[in-house]
Each structure stands twice: as C-alpha cells, then as structure tokens.
Amino acid sequence: MGYKNNNTGYRDGLLESRAVIKRHNYALLPHDGLVKNVVPGFENCEVTILASPKLGANFVDYIISMQAGGKNEKGFGAEGVETFVYVLDGKLKVSDGMESHELETGGYAYLPAGVLMYLENNQEATTEIFLYKKRYEPLEGHEAHKVVGNSNDLIPSEYEGMEDVLLWDLLPTDIGFDMNFHILSFEPGASHGYIETHVQEHGAYILSGQGMYNLDNDWMPVEKGDYIFMGAYVPQAAYAVGRGEPLRYVYSKDCNRDPK
Ligand code: UGY
Ligand code: MN
C-alpha cells in the first residue's frame, strides 16, 4: 500500500518503518592494545590517554604507571577543571598544593575545579593510577569540595536489589558535584537486570574478573585491565563470566545537571 504525505497532514497508507538516528559512540580499549603517550609535566611516568574529547567524551581518562620518582611537579588540572585519581596498585602521595595525603591501593582523591593536583609515587616499586579530568559545570549556590578516601573503607549497596551485584559511591551525592565515581561488582554469573540507556557518559576501567559487555547491542568479551568508554545513550549492560574473581570496574558518571 502506498504512503503519501502531502504536507496537509493527510496519510493514505500504513507506516512501514520508524525513524532511527544512530549517534551512539563507544569504545573498548583492550589492555593489550594500549600505547604510551607523552604528556608534558609527567616525569618518570608511562602515560596512556584513554577517552578524550577526540572520542566524543566530555572528560579525559588516563592510566599511568609511575616509576620510582614518578611525579608531576607542575600540577594536573586547570582553571575550571576538576580532577580525580584512583590508586589501582601501589602508594601515591597526592597534594592540592597546601596539604598532602598518602593513598594506598583502592585510595582516591577528588579536587574541585581550579585546584591543581600534585601526584608523586610514594614507593620504589611502580604505582599504577587511573586519572580523570573534566570541565566542571557550576551550579549557582552549590560547590564541590575536596574528597579523599579509600574504597576498601566504604560499604557497598546492593545494585537494584541484586545481592550478587554491588555498588560503591566514591564521592558525595550532593548536587554541588556534577559527577561521581563508582565501583560496580558482579559475581560470576551475575548481570545488569536490563540493558541501560541513559544520557550520562562513562569511562570504565576493569579492576578484576572477566565478562561479556553489551555495547549498543553487541556483546563483547572484556577482562581486567580493559577500558570502556560509553557515550551518552549507548545501550549498555554486563554479565560476569568465569569462576574466580568478580567482574569489577571503577567508572565515572556525570550527574546532578540539567542538559543545556
Ligand atoms: O551507573 C550506571 O549507569 C552503571 N550501571 N552503568 C554501567 O554499569 N554501564
Ligand atoms: Mn550506565
């Protein structure tokens, strides 16, 4: 049967298709394909840039192996830019230029926009960190503030009522913060309850385990050390495979803002 739209609103047939606009953007960067990048200011550090605006992300993620003496003396961040660091393995000294904190594996620090972050490997052995920066979206009457903690000291909650999926919130949920960092952990065999589609972006670094990850309705194998960028509205879900460790990842998620 024919279909006609003569701009009078009159249609004389059945609709045979529904429009789809595909603008989904995601990336899976397996650990064995990562390369080293030179980032000025980082000394004795092997830096890998992960998601960046070139990929469509509103943030930049890095994996950094800090060798003995590894540091960034000029400070990380900029005016209007917030920063976050998570210690994957080792010991890290982090400072806002006034006060320094000693972090161990699982430790993290958030510094609000405009406060430079100084990092220094705090041991002879290599320290591995996951580093993040993003332009802060201010909200009148509210502010973010420095946060220092260790994920091992936090109590996770059951994710959407599933006892084999646990969620940690690393940062406060108050609306001065325009993003949060979380850890999500799936016991082998556990999965998301449904394929999520949402406006927020994620940069996720896999801390342990193995799984299958659904990105825009394609399932792909992932494992410890891999990195996933999920742009806004990318359909996404995971299930954990294997018998040993949980599939666990640390990830960022923007929040608390009305899109402009
Ligand atoms: O918080 C989240 O949106 C999370 N459940 N997304 C994800 O794991 N891909
Ligand atoms: Mn999500």
Side-chain angles (χ1 to χ4, degrees):
M1 192 179 290
Y3 166 79
K4 186 170 75 182
N5 181 352
N6 59 11
N7 293 330
T8 62
Y10 167 66
R11 292 170 175 179
D12 68 353
L14 292 174
L15 294 180
E16 290 174 349
S17 68
R18 301 174 71 212
V20 173
I21 302 167
K22 279 211 168 206
R23 285 199 194 124
H24 294 154
N25 184 16
Y26 69 84
L28 168 59
L29 307 183
H31 58 85
D32 48 4
L34 298 178
V35 301
K36 297 180 183 85
N37 307 113
V38 172
V39 176
F42 284 86
E43 293 162 40
N44 297 324
C45 290
E46 289 182 354
V47 182
T48 298
I49 300 170
L50 301 164
S52 75
K54 287 189 175 180
L55 191 53
N58 281 310
F59 57 85
V60 184
D61 275 339
Y62 312 77
I63 283 287
I64 304 182
S65 292
M66 304 182 84
Q67 321 294 347
K71 58 182 183 246
N72 72 329
E73 272 180 340
K74 296 222 167 97
F76 174 69
E79 197 53 49
V81 172
E82 61 194 339
T83 58
F84 179 91
V85 65
Y86 182 87
V87 182
L88 298 167
D89 189 28
K91 293 188 177 168
L92 180 76
K93 200 195 279 184
V94 57
S95 165
D96 57 8
M98 311 273 280
E99 192 182 9
S100 73
H101 307 270
E102 304 205 348
L103 304 181
E104 303 205 341
T105 304
Y108 60 87
Y110 167 88
L111 294 183
V115 181
L116 292 182
M117 179 179 270
Y118 299 88
L119 302 164
E120 193 177 333
N121 183 4
N122 211 17
Q123 62 179 11
E124 280 304 304
T126 300
T127 288
E128 302 274 346
I129 61 170
F130 183 49
L131 187 63
Y132 165 100
K133 70 177 179 184
K134 186 179 88 61
R135 184 151 293 282
Y136 177 67
E137 274 188 61
L139 182 65
E140 209 182 322
H142 300 271
E143 275 182 6
H145 55 81
K146 176 165 88 171
V147 180
V148 179
N150 191 301
S151 53
N152 298 316
D153 299 333
L154 304 177
I155 297 170
S157 55
E158 285 183 4
Y159 186 66
E160 306 211 332
M162 294 181 281
E163 61 187 26
D164 48 6
V165 185
L166 298 178
L167 177 72
W168 286 256
D169 295 332
L170 303 190
L171 297 180
T173 52
D174 72 70
I175 61 172
F177 288 81
D178 69 344
M179 51 73 81
N180 206 326
F181 259 83
H182 307 277
I183 292 176
L184 196 53
S185 183
F186 301 80
E187 288 303 316
S191 71
H192 280 89
Y194 55 90
I195 295 182
E196 302 174 356
T197 312
H198 53 61
V199 65
Q200 297 92 342
E201 300 180 319
H202 299 311
Y205 181 80
I206 301 183
L207 299 170
S208 72
Q210 292 179 308
M212 295 298 293
Y213 219 100
N214 185 313
L215 294 165
D216 201 12
N217 289 325
D218 286 329
W219 286 99
M220 35 204 118
V222 295
E223 64 180 8
K224 178 179 175 175
D226 290 350
Y227 175 81
I228 306 171
F229 167 66
M230 292 167 250
Y233 302 107
V234 169
Q236 55 196 259
Y239 77 82
V241 302
R243 290 164 193 260
E245 297 184 298
L247 172 66
R248 183 171 293 181
Y249 47 88
V250 58
Y251 67 100
S252 59
K253 183 172 185 176
D254 43 300
C255 60
N256 296 334
R257 296 293 181 271
D258 190 4
K260 293 194 184 85

